[in-house]
Structure formats: C-alpha cells, structure tokens
Amino acid sequence: DLIRPAREDGQILFFKVPPHLEKPYDNRYFTALCTQAVEDVELLEGSGPALHRLYNNYDAPRNQPLFVNISNKVKDDTTYQAVPKTKNSQFEDALKKGNYYAPLFEDSICDGSVNAEISSIRTDKLKLAGIKCLPAFSIVTAPDFFPQVDPLDFENYDLAPGFSKESHFYEGGVASLATARIKPNPKMINTKADSTSDTYLAVLSGAKKDKTGISIDRLAVYKNPASEKGYEMSGFLPDVASSVFAPGWDVTYCGLKNDIYIGTEGLGSPFIEDMKFCSALNGMWPATSPDASRTYQGSNEADYRNPTAVPLLDREIGICGAGPAGKAHESWGWDGEQGPYLEKNRGSWKVNFTDLGRADAVNNALDGKIDMSQLRTLTSGELIQRMECLKICIKTLPPKNFRAEFKGTVTGYTYLWLVSAEKVNWGKEDAVALGIPEDLVGNDKDWITRKENAKVNGEGYLYVFANSVADKEDVAKDWDTDLKRRRLAVDGEQIYICQVTSNAEAGKKIAWAQIKRNGIINWQTK
C-alpha cells in the first residue's frame, strides 16, 4: 500500500494536535499541521533580463515531518474517522482549535545504505589489497508519477543557463538532485572515521561520445528532450531525481545549519499529504509530481496563485459530473479528486473548483483512489507539446498577471486559470469540448466542436481560460453542496477560448476569442 495507518499491536498510534498558532510561525498550512515555518524559496523574482529565481539557502533543516495530516480523529484504540466537512468554516475551525488526537500514517519511504560483501574476492590477486569498500547511500522513495519524463527535459521552460529567459514555474523548477551538492545522511553511511567522509560519489547518466563507436545520429537523440526514451521505467540516478525546495521529491535536507545532509525524516507524514500541496503549486517537481494547480488554483491567495505549468487534461485530473460534461462523462483524476469547471451561478459565470484544504489525498490513498496509471504513459514529447501550446496562449491573450509590477507575459506569472484542457486534431476531427457549457455562446457548441469551424490546423489543444476574482477575507466563501468544492467569480466575464497548436507547419498557431455576456467576440488568429 502507498500508505497505511501506523499501528503497534493492532492499536493506532496517534498524537495530540496542538492549537493553531501564528507566532513564532503559522503552524497550519491549509489544513495540515506545519512543524516549522515554510519559507518562500525557488520563487521567480524580478522582470525582463533581471528575472531570476530566489534559491534555497538550506538554512532551515527539516528534522521532523514538515507537514502532518490532521484531518482525521481517533475514535478508540483501533478506529478513526475523518473530521466532517461543513457548509461553513466549522471544519477549518475544528482543525485550528486542535486539542484532539490524530492518527499517524506510515509509508515505506526511508533512507539507508547498501554494502558490498567482498570477503570472497581474492583482492591480492586483483592488486586491490588494502582498498576499502565504502557503503552507498540509498533511498526508498515516493513513486515517480512520470516514469518516462526526466527533469532536464523541461530545461527550455525554466531559467536554466543558456536556455529560456523566462519560466513556466513560479515556484520550483527543473534542477535535478545531482545539482544539490549536499552530502548524504552520515548516520546511514558511517564514514566519520574515514578520510573520505567529505567525498561522495554519485553515478550520473549522460551521452556517450562518438569515440565509443556510437553514431553521431544516435548522439543527437540525447539533445532532443521530446524524443522517445526507449524505456518504460523510472530512473534510479540522482540526475533523474528532482531537486528544488528542500531539496526534492525523494529526500529533504536535515541536520544542523552548519552541517546539513539529505535524508528522509523531514518529508511529509505521510508523503501523500506533502504530495497534495506540492502538486497544487505547479512546478515543485515537474517531472515527478503531477501538476494539479488548475484543480486547486482558486485556493491560493491572489498574490500567490500559482498557475498551471505542465497542463494535465480534463480526464487526467477528473471530470465533475455536476459540470458541463454531465454525469455520463464523470471521472476521477489521478489523485482521486476532480478538476474545475465553468458554472453559471446566480446569473454570472464562476469557476467551481476543489478546495485545497478540503481535498483528502490521505483518505483517497487509503481508499485506493490514487490512480497513477492515468499518467505513466505520458512522455516528455507529449508534455512539452502541451507546455508549448500553453506558452503560445499566455503570450497571445491579454496579459493578466498576479505580479502587478510585472507587465509582460511570462507564463509563470499569469493570473489566467486554465479551467479546461482537451486534445484536438484541429480541422481533422470534431472537438468534444466537455469543459464548455452548452449556453456559453448561443444554445449549442457547434461553433467550437465541428471540425469545419476550426481556425487552426493540426494536432493541438482546446484550452479554456478564466480570469478569476480573488476571495476577500471579509467575504464568506461560496461553498458548493459537495462541501469540498467552492466557487470564484470570473472577473468581468473574462473567459477565453483558445484553439492552439504547436505544429510548425500549421501556419497560424492560435485562434482565440473572449466570451462576454452578449456572446462571442470575433476570433483572432496569430
């Protein structure tokens, strides 16, 4: 199992949830217990040529789980139940009040060492007399949701040297664990008495040079991140693991400020709790953790509303039966939740979405609703095509940025919410347009679904964006009857429909229209 209740002799292990505190730090992160301050690291800063990333200084080691699930309460020695959701804020208030016992959950993530037994080898015959066989640091990690994608495949969409001068990722990025330059847990490899205690070897992958006999044509494959990898399994090397924030998906950093090391003790408890937050923040580990930001985007504050960076399609994040697709097309996403949809409520268009604090990844995992099969066949080429089309849209549509001081169209700063995403072969096939309501324009969807109405040609996507209004603290949240979902109004009826393709031979790459109360505005192409 991905996770399971922690038990000893059949009895649940638990801890007492402390009350919510704001000082010395806010010990609630949405509806999880936060054991230390969450720093803003790996954020985009500046604008234009001065755009850069605010890197982690590794000065806040995590020596205990940073995020701990507290949305369940112990009933007795062997059972527990979820804290009930409510139409008002009673659910959140109960978690903030604390003073109840929450069950602990365990996963199989850990770090350790691997040793080679060489006593049977005649080292004297091999001229290896006196040589030492040192242990190797090893990790049992969280699953890789994208086994056919490596972090550096996305370099051209981040602030990597020699690549893009902008980024899709407001927070996070594509650095691999090999770039962290942090030593492994010394408690596991026990090299204190050895002169090599500050030297560690990591095996990395890479392109072979032509002198090995491999053809130049084969070498070119290594330079094309969209090419087929030729394998269907996760990598096991540090240049394939992600390394941003603290430092990555597989491990965090622990120890003292003047002696830090990578280890697993600071990861979320269980890791599924951490997975929910990091997926919602779009780019923390883009080649490993799915981008669920468009599922939860309205949950974040107006000046911290991470937009989608690596778009997942509607069917991959789940289609809500109460939305325009209807019950016949209802599905559940990779994380057991359902994505956003446009809804006319009290005469105005709104985005109906899942609240991040109320999404229950832990119980979804326990109930078998986490479905990695929806993502494991996705390749770098497919995701890069989606990202390229996303960038075309953000650069073409009227700029809406949550960073007021930045006037450009950097994808990582956009305020636009990708409400619906569907793959379409424009001009060749009809679109399904499950994310577009029947009454958005007129009384049917022929204007967008019929292939003869396509404004571009070739494989691409139907992207639907909305510019949403931020919640105000003094205004009650608009909860849906689902109790996990709420609504945000669309600012000025600003809904944008995009037919987009990255096909280099397609001519026009994007056609877009803005939807207002009086119907569709004229299509514009570029």
Side-chain angles (χ1 to χ4, degrees):
D1 296 334
L2 286 176
I3 62 173
R4 53 206 170 273
R7 300 178 186 271
E8 184 174 280
D9 295 330
Q11 296 186 343
I12 292 176
L13 299 178
F14 56 85
F15 69 101
K16 190 171 185 178
V17 178
H20 175 231
L21 301 174
E22 294 183 357
K23 295 181 179 180
Y25 63 89
D26 191 331
N27 69 349
R28 294 294 190 273
Y29 190 75
F30 290 91
T31 49
L33 175 66
C34 185
T35 60
Q36 68 183 76
V38 180
E39 300 177 358
D40 287 334
V41 293
E42 312 293 351
L43 299 179
L44 280 183
E45 291 291 327
S47 61
L51 191 67
H52 63 282
R53 198 169 286 291
L54 181 63
Y55 289 105
N56 192 346
N57 292 320
Y58 297 105
D59 58 359
R62 287 88 158 90
N63 297 320
Q64 57 187 357
L66 180 60
F67 302 117
V68 186
N69 178 265
I70 57 172
S71 60
N72 291 278
K73 286 185 178 182
V74 172
K75 292 179 63 179
D76 51 48
D77 287 343
T78 59
T79 60
Y80 63 90
Q81 63 183 13
V83 179
K85 308 295 191 299
T86 56
K87 185 80 174 191
N88 49 34
S89 64
Q90 289 180 357
F91 168 75
E92 289 78 9
D93 292 343
L95 269 58
K96 286 184 177 181
K97 184 177 180 181
N99 290 317
Y100 61 89
Y101 296 107
L104 286 165
F105 300 92
E106 59 179 330
D107 48 41
S108 298
I109 297 173
C110 62
D111 51 338
S113 63
V114 176
N115 291 269
E117 174 56 57
I118 62 171
S119 60
S120 61
I121 298 176
R122 293 290 302 274
T123 56
D124 56 331
K125 295 288 186 181
L126 299 175
K127 298 181 180 180
L128 297 175
I131 202 166
K132 293 183 178 180
C133 185
L134 299 175
F137 181 67
S138 178
I139 316 166
V140 176
T141 74
D144 184 343
F145 284 79
F146 294 119
Q148 299 187 65
V149 181
D150 295 341
L152 299 185
D153 292 344
F154 295 155
E155 266 193 322
N156 204 34
Y157 297 88
D158 197 13
L159 299 175
F163 288 87
S164 174
K165 300 305 179 185
E166 62 177 73
S167 178
H168 274 223
F169 309 102
Y170 172 61
E171 182 171 9
V174 302
S176 74
L177 186 60
T179 66
R181 297 296 187 266
I182 301 175
K183 66 183 180 183
N185 190 343
K187 294 184 291 186
M188 295 296 153
I189 59 177
N190 192 26
T191 59
K192 288 184 177 180
D194 194 279
S195 60
T196 62
S197 60
D198 292 325
T199 301
Y200 303 93
L201 173 67
V203 179
L204 307 179
S205 61
K208 295 182 178 181
K209 298 181 180 179
D210 55 359
K211 65 182 181 181
T212 63
I214 295 180
S215 68
I216 298 297
D217 290 340
R218 180 71 186 97
L219 288 174
V221 174
Y222 290 104
K223 300 176 183 178
N224 180 11
S227 65
E228 293 294 329
K229 289 290 187 294
Y231 57 81
E232 294 184 0
M233 63 171 61
S234 298
F236 296 91
L237 302 177
D239 55 342
V240 177
S242 297
S243 176
V244 298
F245 193 54
W249 173 263
D250 305 292
V251 289
T252 183
Y253 72 106
C254 318
L256 304 173
K257 287 186 178 181
N258 59 351
D259 183 26
I260 63 170
Y261 53 85
I262 57 175
T264 57
E265 46 268 57
L267 297 176
S269 178
F271 89 89
I272 288 285
E273 187 73 22
D274 202 352
M275 176 206 75
K276 180 180 75 169
F277 298 135
C278 296
S279 297
L281 297 180
N282 100 3
M284 297 307 298
W285 301 288
T288 304
S289 172
D291 181 351
S293 55
R294 70 187 195 89
T295 298
Y296 307 113
Q297 190 166 332
S299 304
N300 297 320
E301 298 173 7
D303 58 350
Y304 192 64
R305 185 165 289 177
N306 290 24
T308 293
V310 187
L312 295 182
L313 305 183
D314 293 348
R315 59 181 174 79
E316 294 162 354
I317 64 171
I319 297 174
C320 187
K327 284 288 184 181
H329 295 281
E330 185 166 33
S331 65
W332 299 91
W334 66 271
D335 59 354
E337 299 292 346
Q338 295 177 317
Y341 62 88
L342 287 172
E343 174 188 36
K344 185 169 282 187
N345 181 266
R346 295 190 287 274
S348 298
W349 288 110
K350 297 183 179 180
V351 180
N352 188 304
F353 68 99
T354 301
D355 182 78
L356 180 57
R358 295 192 173 198
D360 200 338
V362 167
N363 283 305
N364 287 349
L366 293 169
D367 294 339
K369 293 180 179 178
I370 302 293
D371 183 6
M372 292 181 285
S373 69
Q374 298 194 53
L375 307 175
R376 65 187 175 208
T377 60
L378 293 176
T379 63
S380 295
E382 168 66 20
L383 296 182
I384 286 172
Q385 185 182 29
R386 298 180 188 183
M387 295 170 72
E388 188 62 29
C389 288
L390 176 66
K391 182 167 67 173
I392 292 171
C393 292
I394 300 306
K395 287 189 171 298
T396 305
L397 296 175
K400 307 290 180 183
N401 305 298
F402 60 78
R403 294 293 296 268
E405 74 277 13
F406 187 75
K407 305 301 181 184
T409 53
V410 170
T411 308
Y413 280 157
T414 186
Y415 201 84
L416 293 175
W417 189 342
L418 182 58
V419 178
S420 179
E422 175 185 314
K423 193 165 187 174
V424 181
N425 193 351
W426 294 111
K428 303 292 192 301
E429 301 173 357
D430 288 346
V432 182
L434 292 178
I436 295 182
E438 290 278 355
D439 57 345
L440 184 64
V441 176
N443 296 313
D444 60 49
K445 296 191 287 187
D446 288 351
W447 57 274
I448 188 65
T449 58
R450 295 177 66 89
K451 62 184 178 182
E452 55 266 29
N453 291 333
K455 310 297 182 183
V456 298
N457 293 294
E459 291 187 354
Y461 301 91
L462 169 59
Y463 283 164
V464 180
F465 296 89
N467 186 28
S468 60
V469 178
D471 268 348
K472 297 180 180 179
E473 292 185 3
D474 58 344
V475 176
K477 292 180 178 178
D478 185 5
W479 293 105
D480 194 355
T481 53
D482 184 278
L483 301 182
K484 287 202 300 185
R485 304 185 67 91
R486 44 187 264 241
R487 305 177 183 91
L488 278 182
V490 175
D491 186 8
E493 308 296 339
Q494 292 177 358
I495 299 170
Y496 302 93
I497 309 297
C498 295
Q499 299 179 10
V500 59
T501 176
S502 62
N503 184 357
E505 301 175 356
K508 300 292 185 180
K509 289 191 174 183
I510 181 172
W512 66 277
Q514 182 178 355
I515 310 300
K516 290 188 175 182
R517 289 182 185 274
N518 60 349
I520 191 167
I521 304 301
N522 291 334
W523 285 98
Q524 300 184 48
T525 60
K526 184 176 180 180

